[in-house]
Amino acid sequence: PLFGALLPNPQAIAALGSYRTPDGMPPVAGKLALLFIREQPQALAQRMQALRFSVRETEAASTALTATHALWVGKLSLVDALRLGRPAITHAVDAFAALTQAGEPYQAQSAQAQELLAAMQSGIPMSLRALAVSGDDLLPLCQSLALPAKVIGATLDALWRATVAGVLPNERQALLAQAVQLLQGHRAEG
């Protein structure tokens, strides 16, 4: 068999007829992620590499399958969804809808994926780059507290997570004030 020990899901075969690959995802990646929805993402990626699929197709299929697996077990946070990206979450919405239409009971996963997608489109910062502060803004704070520059990454990540969670607004002054508190915590630990 072309995909070796990987087994396509029978309902997924039927679901392919109503599945639409999301923008930003190679069509073959979305279809393979749907077809092998019960397989592990790394197993699909290894088989795709062995079959000489492109790196882009392989990574997209693995990411899409990672998103659907995490939704399947109810363990996909908004932060994780943002890291996986909009195409992977859109794939999950479309894949679960197609599977539901084919008779599989995935309404709960589809609803959760739709909620995550809506949250991703609500204006929250999609990445660290979208924060109202950058590492350049935190470097003088680190220097004034005699902290090494290596704490900047963890601080930015904490600020981004707080912004995504709605704890902090994505506003420069609010983020800088929180950064000072976080950095002072690093200083007390060090």
Side-chain angles (χ1 to χ4, degrees):
L2 185 63
F3 279 87
L6 300 182
L7 300 174
N9 177 298
Q11 286 78 20
I13 294 169
L16 283 172
S18 60
Y19 171 77
R20 188 183 64 80
T21 306
D23 292 337
M25 180 175 288
V28 71
K31 290 175 182 174
L32 288 174
L34 172 58
L35 196 59
F36 295 107
I37 192 165
R38 296 223 168 108
E39 299 293 340
Q40 292 301 312
Q42 61 272 24
L44 179 59
Q46 287 172 349
R47 192 67 196 145
M48 288 178 73
Q49 289 169 345
L51 292 169
R52 303 222 183 262
F53 280 87
S54 74
V55 170
R56 181 174 182 259
E57 291 167 337
T58 302
E59 287 177 356
S62 179
T63 301
L65 194 52
T66 298
T68 54
H69 273 229
L71 284 159
W72 194 359
V73 297
K75 293 187 178 185
L76 187 65
S77 69
L78 181 54
V79 168
D80 293 334
L82 288 167
R83 289 202 166 121
L84 290 170
R86 191 179 317 237
I89 304 307
T90 303
H91 161 80
V93 168
D94 295 343
F96 286 132
L99 286 163
T100 299
Q101 192 172 354
E104 286 280 311
Y106 286 115
Q107 292 90 348
Q109 292 87 348
S110 183
Q112 184 187 1
Q114 289 172 349
E115 288 173 16
L116 287 169
L117 191 58
M120 291 171 79
Q121 296 168 337
S122 69
I124 59 173
M126 298 292 285
S127 68
L128 290 176
R129 289 186 183 138
L131 276 178
V133 296
S134 70
D136 291 340
D137 298 315
L138 301 186
L139 187 58
L141 296 174
C142 284
Q143 291 170 338
S144 70
L145 295 168
L147 289 170
K150 68 181 181 181
V151 300
I152 291 175
T155 303
L156 284 171
D157 188 63
L159 293 173
W160 178 65
R161 286 174 175 271
T163 303
V164 168
V167 175
L168 281 175
N170 189 20
E171 297 170 359
R172 181 176 169 75
Q173 293 307 320
L175 293 171
L176 286 174
Q178 182 64 28
V180 168
Q181 289 182 2
L182 291 170
L183 291 170
Q184 287 173 339
H186 279 295
R187 185 174 178 195
E189 291 170 7

